[in-house]
């Protein structure tokens, strides 16, 4: 991977100035295409210098509208009472409980995974060693988190990370036992349980057969696993962070007076289009996708329309989540997780339903950044299965002059018969296509 310099860093604005140094920054026009590069590209982003970014961290938490106290359902013996009630790990919330969870009040108790056991990670499913749990319970202002399950990705080392972040910001990588075994066998991981900046946290007793659904646990329920954190940056395992965490938080949360940021999809902004794209790409069982979309339609889901502005999209690119851990964002990710648990693991399909139901009740919004801005601070690598099954480079072959055949005017070699009929057919195995992302195919029974 070539070096990448993403920073458009603004050095102006002395400390204490009321005007943000990036207020007058405008996105430049996209660069002309280079060579055969296709698809979405990063764009310039205005980041202020690191020390200024750190100084702009809010001293007190953001105000959580209406909701002040959020607690979670605990049930040692959850019972499934409805056909689409989710999982044992999620506690099988009924449709009535689901509906009540969108009625925002000052104090609420909701399902949010980990329904069994005395604390998340301890005999709940998605279990974590006690030493690691003690580490995860420590207070941190900022953390960066990722996960690799099913040995699906190759760990990516962050770049351009300041000494202040190396000292103060933990980088946690959650892995399952399969991934841990591979890392140890390939000598990537030793007894220190560190791989570069990443501290490896091994998860036991994973709750789902669906690898990607397991990945939604740390992605959406970080506030349950790490209960004493102010800000977090989640990045998918295939991504490499290339901008300092403090600058990312300042740019997309603190300077925007936001407590949740996610990028919108680079092309699609309508849930119905996203569902059809998922079906066409074989991302999940089509029947299950159709069931989820029909359920949402009965609740009032419509195509995206301009009257929703300033909401700019109903479809996120959910590989990065930047958030402040306050009650309203914790509720949002709990309820988003519950949809992933109840329906398909394609979280893009449920995002807008949860967001809009909360926004109907309280004055709260999500900063949906441009996809090109997201691509500025993370670089996307290929999943492991694509990397390991890509065809090797083709060595140029210099054609040779065929030998003269003195026994026939046809140019055929004596004793060789032309191949006809079945013998000319190529092996069908050579035409099989490997489709990435099919590991989470499951059917929701009806």
């Amino acid at each position: 991977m070539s070096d990448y310099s993403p920073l458009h860093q603004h050095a102006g604005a002395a400390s204490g100035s009321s005007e943000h140094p990036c207020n007058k920054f405008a996105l430049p026009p996209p660069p002309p295409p280079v060579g055969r590069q296709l698809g979405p590209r990063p764009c310039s982003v205005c980041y202020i210098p690191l020390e200024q970014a750190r100084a702009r961290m809010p001293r007190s938490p953001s105000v959580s509208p209406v909701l002040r106290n959020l607690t979670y359902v605990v049930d040692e013996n959850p019972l499934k009472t409805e056909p689409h009630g989710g999982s044992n790990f999620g506690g099988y919330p009924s449709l009535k409980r689901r509906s009540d969870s969108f009625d925002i009040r000052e104090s609420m108790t909701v399902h949010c995974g980990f329904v069994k056991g005395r604390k998340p990670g301890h005999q709940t499913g998605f279990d974590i060693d006690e030493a690691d749990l003690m580490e995860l319970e420590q207070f941190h202002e900022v953390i960066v988190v990722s996960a690799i399950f099913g040995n699906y990705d190759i760990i990516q080392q962050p770049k351009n990370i300041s000494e202040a972040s190396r000292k103060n910001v933990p980088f946690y990588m959650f892995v399952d036992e399969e991934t841990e075994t591979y890392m140890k066998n390939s000598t990537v991981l030793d007894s220190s349980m560190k791989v570069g900046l990443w501290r490896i946290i091994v998860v036991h007793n994973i709750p789902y057969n669906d690898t990607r659904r397991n990945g939604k646990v740390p992605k959406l329920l970080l506030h349950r696993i790490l209960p004493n954190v102010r800000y977090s940056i989640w990045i998918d395992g295939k991504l490499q962070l290339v901008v300092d965490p403090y600058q990312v938080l300042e740019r997309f949360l603190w300077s925007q007076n936001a407590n949740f940021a996610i990028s919108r999809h680079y092309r699609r902004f309508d849930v119905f289009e996203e569902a059809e794209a998922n079906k066409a790409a074989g991302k999940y069982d089509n029947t299950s996708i159709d069931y989820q979309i029909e359920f949402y339609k009965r609740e009032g889901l419509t195509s995206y329309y301009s009257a929703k502005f300033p909401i700019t999209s109903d479809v996120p690119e959910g590989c990065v989540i930047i958030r402040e851990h306050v009650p309203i964002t914790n509720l949002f990710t709990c309820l988003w997780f519950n949809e992933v648990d109840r329906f398909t693991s394609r979280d893009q399909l449920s995002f807008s339903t949860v967001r809009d139901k909360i926004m109907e009740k309280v004055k709260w919004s999500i900063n949906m950044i441009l996809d090109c801005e997201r691509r500025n601070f993370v670089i996307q690598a290929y999943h492991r299965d694509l990397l390991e099954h890509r065809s090797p480079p083709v060595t140029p072959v210099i054609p040779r002059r065929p030998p003269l055949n003195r026994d026939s005017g046809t140019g055929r070699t004596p004793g060789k018969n032309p191949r006809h009929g079945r013998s000319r057919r190529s092996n069908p195995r050579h035409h099989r296509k490997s489709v990435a992302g099919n590991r989470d195919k499951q059917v929701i029974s009806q």
Side-chain angles (χ1 to χ4, degrees):
M1 184 177 294
S2 61
D3 288 341
Y4 176 63
S5 180
L7 299 182
H8 181 100
Q9 187 160 292
H10 198 295
S15 177
S17 171
S18 60
E19 181 178 355
H20 193 280
C22 293
N23 282 351
K24 296 180 181 179
F25 176 79
L27 286 173
V34 179
R36 299 182 62 184
Q37 183 180 8
L38 302 174
R41 302 183 181 91
C43 55
S44 297
V45 173
C46 179
Y47 302 105
I48 63 176
L50 174 69
E51 289 308 313
Q52 290 186 31
R54 292 187 65 200
R56 288 178 179 269
M57 179 187 296
R59 296 179 180 178
S60 57
S62 299
V63 175
S64 176
V66 180
L67 178 62
R68 298 290 187 272
N69 303 300
L70 184 64
T71 56
Y72 309 107
V73 170
V74 176
D75 186 354
E76 287 298 326
N77 298 292
L79 297 175
K80 185 174 183 178
T81 59
E82 296 170 353
H84 303 284
S87 70
N88 196 52
F89 176 77
Y92 305 115
S94 67
L95 287 175
K96 183 181 185 306
R97 290 296 299 264
R98 176 183 179 272
S99 178
D100 290 345
S101 67
F102 291 109
D103 182 16
I104 314 301
R105 303 176 299 278
E106 183 175 356
S107 296
M108 298 178 64
T109 300
V110 299
H111 284 77
C112 194
F114 301 104
V115 296
K116 299 191 294 184
R118 62 182 179 86
K119 64 179 179 180
H122 181 79
Q123 297 181 355
T124 57
F126 206 88
D127 294 332
I128 298 169
D129 294 337
E130 193 62 36
D132 288 330
L133 281 177
M134 291 179 63
E135 163 69 19
L136 298 176
E137 289 171 357
Q138 301 302 308
F139 173 77
H140 296 291
E141 296 274 7
V142 177
I143 60 171
V144 178
V145 181
S146 187
I148 299 175
F149 293 119
N151 197 29
Y152 198 50
D153 292 298
I154 297 174
I155 194 166
Q156 305 292 318
Q157 284 303 320
K159 293 174 56 178
N160 305 317
I161 306 301
S162 67
E163 286 303 317
S165 290
R166 290 172 182 268
K167 178 181 178 181
N168 298 312
V169 178
F171 288 72
Y172 294 125
M173 174 70 70
F174 292 91
V175 304
D176 58 4
E177 292 172 346
E178 177 186 352
T179 307
E180 178 198 21
T181 298
Y182 177 88
M183 294 171 72
K184 285 184 174 179
N185 290 342
S186 59
T187 68
V188 172
L189 183 64
D190 57 25
S191 59
S192 71
M193 299 305 286
K194 291 271 290 189
V195 179
L197 282 179
W198 295 107
R199 171 163 176 167
I200 307 302
I201 308 292
V202 181
V203 178
H204 313 281
N205 191 25
I206 52 177
Y208 303 105
N209 293 326
D210 179 346
T211 298
R212 294 197 178 185
R213 203 186 297 268
N214 286 315
K216 299 303 186 291
V217 177
K219 175 178 179 177
L220 300 180
L221 304 185
L222 266 184
H223 60 285
R224 301 224 58 197
I225 305 170
L226 294 107
N228 299 307
V229 166
R230 289 192 67 193
Y231 298 96
S232 65
I233 299 174
W234 163 270
I235 62 174
D236 279 3
K238 64 186 176 183
L239 299 180
Q240 179 188 34
L241 182 67
V242 293
V243 173
D244 191 87
Y246 288 107
Q247 292 175 301
V248 173
L249 287 162
E250 195 284 329
R251 174 67 286 180
F252 299 110
L253 288 190
W254 305 335
S255 69
Q256 307 299 314
N257 292 320
N259 51 32
F260 197 101
I262 193 170
S263 66
R264 48 187 147 168
H265 195 277
Y266 71 96
R267 184 172 61 193
R268 293 185 291 276
F269 50 86
D270 184 276
V271 176
F272 296 102
E273 292 180 6
E274 178 66 15
E276 292 304 313
N278 274 257
K279 289 161 61 177
K283 296 290 187 178
Y284 207 92
D285 172 73
N286 288 2
T287 302
S288 300
I289 292 176
D290 288 339
Y291 176 84
Q292 182 175 7
I293 296 301
E294 287 300 318
F295 184 96
Y296 289 159
K297 283 175 66 177
R298 291 194 297 271
E299 288 194 322
L301 176 67
T302 63
S303 294
Y304 178 84
Y305 51 95
S306 58
K308 295 189 77 169
F309 189 83
I311 293 174
T312 54
S313 175
D314 283 348
V315 180
E317 179 57 71
C319 57
V320 172
I321 294 177
I322 310 164
R323 61 183 283 208
E324 180 183 7
H325 293 216
V326 291
I328 194 67
T329 63
N330 295 343
L331 175 69
F332 171 71
T333 53
C334 283
L335 303 188
W336 191 9
F337 174 83
N338 289 346
E339 298 297 290
V340 169
D341 186 55
R342 178 181 292 272
F343 298 109
T344 71
S345 63
R346 307 306 297 170
D347 54 26
Q348 301 95 327
L349 302 181
S350 50
F351 167 83
S352 66
T353 289
V354 180
R355 178 200 63 190
D356 293 354
K357 284 179 177 290
I358 292 178
M359 289 180 62
E360 287 175 3
K361 299 290 184 177
V362 298
K363 188 177 181 180
W364 177 75
S365 62
I366 289 174
N367 180 20
M368 294 197 73
I369 67 177
L370 295 173
D371 181 71
C372 69
E373 294 178 300
R374 189 266 303 174
R375 292 174 185 272
N376 177 279
F377 63 88
V378 289
I379 295 178
Q380 184 166 317
Y382 292 101
H383 290 302
R384 179 184 297 280
D385 57 351
L386 289 180
L387 286 171
E388 293 181 349
H389 292 88
R390 294 174 76 185
S391 299
V394 177
T395 303
V397 177
I398 301 175
R400 296 181 179 179
R401 183 187 299 273
L404 293 177
N405 186 346
R406 301 184 185 275
D407 299 312
S408 171
T410 63
R412 296 179 184 140
T413 304
K416 297 284 186 180
N417 295 324
R419 303 177 69 184
H420 292 292
R422 293 184 182 178
S423 61
R424 294 189 61 187
R425 295 176 186 172
S426 59
N427 190 329
R429 289 180 296 177
H430 295 167
H431 293 277
R432 292 178 182 170
K433 294 183 179 180
S434 175
V435 180
N438 279 1
R439 296 189 178 202
D440 60 344
K441 277 193 176 183
Q442 290 191 355
V443 181
I444 296 178
S445 59
Q446 297 188 45

